[in-house]
Amino acid sequence: MRGHDLINTVLPDELIIEIFNHLDGSKLSCDACSLVCKRWLRLDRSSRRTVRIEASGNPDVVANLLVRRFVNIENVYIDERLPVSLPLQFGYSTRPGLARPPTGKRRRGSKSARSSSKIRYSSENSASEGSNLEPYSLSDAGLNALAEGFTRLEKLSLVWCSNVTSVGLQSIAEKCRSLKFLDLQGCYVGDQGLAAVGKCCKQLEDLNLRFCEGLSDIGLVELAHGCGRSLKTLGVAACAKITDISLEAVGSHCPFLQTLSLDSEFIKNKGVLSVAQGCPSLKVLKLQCISVTDEALQAVGAYCSLLEFLALYSFQKFTDRSLCAIGRGCKKLKNLILSDCYFLSDKSLEAIATGCCELTCLEVNGCHNIGTSGLEAIGKSCPGLSELALLYCQRIGNTALSEVGRGCKLLQAIRLVDCSSIGDDAICGIAQGCRNLKKLHIRRCYEVGDKGIIAIGENCKSLTDLSLQFCDRVGDDALIAIGRGCSLQYLNVSGCHQIGDAGLIAIARGCPELVYLDVSVLQNLGDMALFEIGEGCPLLKDIVLSHCRQITDAGLTYLVSRCAMLESCHMVYCPFVTSAGVATVVSGCLKMKKVLVEKCKVSERTRRRAGSVLSYLCVDL
């Protein structure tokens, strides 16, 4: 019967909320549900669990509005990193994509998401009011409002909320005792606030203290004493007053700690030793501590047998002895990152290969003494390797990757940056052995050319993500093979000067699922390629055309007329693209969000027409 509300008549509240929970989670679906009727709006408010407050004109006001509207919030995420000013009289933006704040009266077209609410203010006039941003950061008053309104809070993220102090944090601790996740990155809270968290939040599991300059050992020691037995994840970075004393407390009172991330020049062996000995459940360890030596890493190898993820950054005081100890003791290691570890050699990778046969991900970055034989050992002994990244590894040659190709059949992702000794033979070896490869990123490997990429196209049919940046020897033949053999979704050939229309035409005809394309700095690329891309890639969302000197308005016009999903277009320094072409891109793509172009090419009419829709329309160069 027309007009009869059968759903609301038959279904109880609980069942409608359960249906809400099974939606796809998209903002469009959530908005549609909350706008159906007053009952559904009420159910949306009661079922929402998460709110997100981005950089805003006055987050304290937003916090007070939110606690009056929503009663069952469990997760709050506040990010103050983006510099946004306060519009006149706390006015709220009506731009598409920006949500209005909660009000008592519902308007047609307002934005409301069931699973998460994202609220922010207009950024217009931010340049003129940039000096007034600091007073509009979240304060203790706003945090207190959240504490009083969201007593069921389990997750709280306060990213760069510089005005929050221990007073606000104490309020959260005392009123939100079910808190399990706390991110204080960039907050200038003190020891009293952290001590209150330790005293009141006995279920705390995850704590991030990166860039909390106001903290000292006193606060972290008190927290470890108070809720150490529940703590599973701890991150500390750039906290000059936190030393080994804090880590000794963590080692003594946090027996179930599983993840530790340390970035400090003030932490030495004693602290890491305490954690290794007192936290046998440790699975993830990330260290950037220039004062730590072999002694600490040897203790990790001896006591942390469950370790699965190890990342070592900028270590200058330890040698192969550390990795040999890890290889002997950490048999479950699956992920290893070595960055700027100058004194490690092939012996380290050989020890890992021998002892850590379950290794799945390996990244070697700037370790100049690691060469071919070390990676060969990984290829022979680690058959489960699925991701490999080699950055600035000048001593690793073709035979190493060939061995990986023979031994690591499950490899799915490779990233190579500035590896001057790796060429076509290595890529051919990977192509023939790793036929499940899905992602291949190569940047400034000048010995890689058409031969290697053609082999990839012929053998790696699952490849969806290909990046060949500034590979001078790669030309059209390589892309023709890729177009015939692979269905790419992501392609970046920036700076490959030998690639022209023929290669991109093959991609357009063979990769209809392409969503991202970067062809910047291709001097031989013209409008014909854009015609074919428009015809063959209807799902394209992002395209980068900067420094393509042969592209004209005609090619752009055809592209935007066919690619209705296009959301971003970069076209800086394209001399034959005029203001008319820019206007066509802006007006022809209803979903366009970002256009990067010289300011001089944007007419006043285009600026008026698109200024309220596009975030980064004009850039002075």
Side-chain angles (χ1 to χ4, degrees), residues 5-57:
D5 190 357
L6 185 60
I7 292 179
N8 277 329
T9 301
V10 175
L11 298 184
D13 289 353
E14 294 78 7
L15 189 53
I16 293 179
I17 291 175
E18 185 65 24
I19 293 172
F20 285 178
N21 292 333
H22 283 78
L23 294 176
D24 59 10
S26 70
K27 187 168 178 59
L28 183 62
S29 299
C30 296
D31 290 346
C33 288
S34 64
L35 294 174
V36 167
C37 61
K38 290 183 178 180
R39 182 192 182 198
W40 285 29
L41 178 61
R42 173 176 57 82
L43 294 177
D44 169 71
R45 293 178 182 179
S46 65
S47 64
R48 193 175 308 191
R49 297 292 181 265
T50 301
V51 294
R52 301 177 186 273
I53 306 175
E54 295 183 353
S56 52

Side-chain angles (χ1 to χ4, degrees), residues 140 143 164-173 182 184 189 193-194 197:
D140 291 333
L143 204 55
V164 170
T165 69
S166 290
V167 175
L169 191 56
Q170 283 179 296
S171 179
I172 288 289
L182 180 60
L184 297 174
V189 296
L194 204 59
V197 172

